[in-house]
Every structure is written in structure tokens, then in C-alpha cells.
Amino acid sequence: MEIENDDRGGYKRIHQRLGPTSRQPDRGGKVCFQWRAGHCTRHPCPFLHSEQDPSNSKRSLGWRNPSTGGSGGGPNNGGHQSKWGKGRHGENSNSNSNAGRLNGGVGTSGGDIPCKFFVSGNCSFGDRCRYPHSWSFGEGFSLITPLKGHEKVVTAIALPSGSDKLYSGSKDKTVKVWDCQTGQCTVSIPMGGEIGCMICEDPWLFVGIPDSIKVWNTQTGAEMNLPGPTGQVYALAAANDMLFAGTQDGKILIWRFNAATNCFEPATFLVGHRLAVISLVVGGPKLYSCSMDNTIKAWDLTTLQCVQTLSDHTNVVMSLLCWEQFLLSCSLDSTVKVWVHNSKEQLEVTYTHTEEHGVISLCGMHDVQGKPVLLCSLNDNTVRLYDLPSFNERGKIFAKQEVRAMQTGPNGLFFTGDGTGELKVWTWSTN
């Protein structure tokens, strides 16, 4: 989607991106010397903001474990060292070592911190301000527009496949519907409770609120209510005609879809976590759950039995992400862990990435060149973007408060929602 101003009504129009543009001249693959020096201010820049490695030009861009050739084995399988967290020349990559490269060596000197008055919306210096007036630093992505309407933290974002509507949920007890043609909020739906989570499994939209799940059919408009949860519903996932809900009391409730009645019927519930379940994700034949009890559990989707409990994190596990054969987890212990199955089909850690702050959410996507990128939201009000599997830092997004919700869209789009209730629409550039 792209935005353009409409002088007649002051609205911003969002159009579906038709494909890569060719407005920037071909510079023959040259690397920007100003980027190397750490102070390129061109947006977009016609030169490369990355060091090329000709030997990697034909390397697969999908997520795979380099030590296993994509077979999904453990880090020691085949006797090769895992390349997770390794830079181009084999050096360890982390947020501290990459900060200097990203920000021209300023690192911790403050050069990568935007003007606090700009963030609050009242900097009087304008272009003369010595601090950056930008919501992001990095290469290959840019802000399209903010979407303002929620009064409290955005907790969920959903974009149904092929739809021209974007849905957002908030602790202000509303779900808002945004028109992707105008960028305007067209409907605000009161939910009667704070939204804990929201997912879309076409044609269904599921919204978790305290003690209930609201369900809409986005094609027919049919509505239903699924009672049963105790306390807030923090996580939802769907697979094999089943709906899973992670609740405040530590249970995972399950409903099965009945095609004859076009309804979801209570099936069973899973018990194992001692505290609230705050993230659910389905990967292959398993459901993965994480909890405030600092653990991750793997459940067999056929038997609905817990087959493994992972206790490597030392604080609340906040978010899970499945991508091909890998499971990624993040925690308030300031780590992101990459898990892979060993020869006994048991998950084990193949790499641990460490941040300076707690990690509260993960989101994975590919940029316009097909390279895998991981978005990590931290509780210092930033989102870090990393190339994978190297974990080389790609960029940084700033927010007024913590970014609690992230969602990917088509054609290089992605969305963030922060603690002030503001959504932002971002895009990967094609240059």
C-alpha cells in the first residue's frame, strides 16, 4: 500500500502496491559511502546500505538452519557449527556490536535517540534541532502514515487476506475497522471489555476479551459469542478446525468447528501452565504455548497431550514465533531463543540472542528482496529489526510507549501499535 495526500478532504489514500518501482537509477550495486560513515540522510538512498557478499548471491533466502541443510536437525547434527547469530565473517552479532555499525559508530552516545520533544509532539527547534526528528533509523523501510483513534494501548492487529479492512483492538475496549483506501477509521465497535488478543482465520475474526471470545464472519456478518474462559483471553490460535484460547487462569480452551451448524462447539481444555498463557502458535503437528510461569509447552495436535516443557527462560515468556522448522521465543529476561528439533524430535536451543531490555513481542516477515527479517519489540519503547540467521541489526523503530502489537501485510507492509493507542503503517522500500 502507498499513501498520497488528497487535497480535497485532507485524507490520505492507501493504494495497493502494484509492484517494485523503477524510479531510482541503477548505481551498479555500489555501497553508499555516507552510509559507511554513518550519516546518510537520503530517504530513499539510490545506493546500497549494506555490504555485499558476492559468494552469497545465490544462497537461499528462506529460513533454514545452515548446519543441517534445512533438515531441521539440531545444532550439532552433521558436525557443523550453527551460523545463527554469526555475522558475514563469523563474528558474533548482538545489539551492542551492531549499534555502532547502524549508527555510524555513535553507539551509546545518544546519536541513535530521537528528540524527546519530537516524540511528544512539541519540539520548537524544528529543522534546527540537534537531535533526530525521525521515528526510525535503518535501511530499506520507511513510515507511511500513523493511524490515530484508540485511546489506550493497542493490543492486537489483524488484516484479513484479500480484505480492504484493517482491524485493531485496544484496552480502550473497542475494535476499530480502518479503510485501506482512505486510512480512516470507519467503524468503532464497543466490546464491553479490554481486548486481550485478536486473530483472523478467513472468514472468521476472533477477539479475546475477559471471560469470552467474540466471533465475526467477515463475509456474512454473522456473530457469535464463545463463553467459557476465566479472566482475560491473552492468546488465540487456530488449526485443524480447532480454536485455541490461552487464558488468565493458565488453561488452554479448545473449540471445534461444526460445519453442519456453522458454529464453534466446546471440545476440551489443556492444563499444564501454572500462570496465565500469553502466547499461542501452531507449527507443523504441534501447538506451542508460553506463560507467565516462564515456560514453553509443546502439545501434540492429534492427541492434545503435552509432549515437552521448555524451562530455559528465567522470566516471563512473552511471545512465540514459528517459521519453517524453527521456534523462536522471547522473554522479559532480555533474550530471544531459537529452538530446533534434535534427532530425538525434542526441541533444544541452537542460539540465544541477548538484548539490553526485556523483549515483549516478535514478528517475522521477508523484505521486498525476500530476505528474512525479525522484528523484536523491547520494553524500552523500540522495535529492533534483524537480518536472519545472522542477527545483524537492520534498523530500529521508535515509539512513544511500548509496541505491544505487530502485524505483517502484503507487498512489504507491516503495522505496529503502541501504548498510546497509535498505529503506524510501515513499508519495505524496493531500492
Side-chain angles (χ1 to χ4, degrees), residues 24-38 40 42 44-54 88 101 138-140 369 371 394 429-431:
Q24 294 297 327
D26 182 5
R27 301 298 187 182
K30 294 182 179 179
V31 178
C32 173
F33 74 92
Q34 291 181 327
W35 171 79
R36 279 176 170 159
C40 179
R42 292 175 289 193
C45 178
F47 298 97
L48 295 177
H49 280 201
S50 63
E51 300 289 354
Q52 288 186 309
D53 184 354
R88 186 169 292 104
R101 178 187 65 80
E139 56 189 72
Q369 296 177 332
K371 297 178 181 178
R394 185 77 171 266
S429 61
T430 57
N431 62 300

Side-chain angles (χ1 to χ4, degrees), residues 1-4 13-17 21 23 144 413:
M1 296 189 292
E2 292 181 340
I3 303 295
E4 64 181 22
R13 295 192 174 276
I14 307 178
H15 299 288
Q16 291 296 331
R17 184 182 298 277
T21 63
R23 289 175 292 180
I144 295 180
L413 286 172

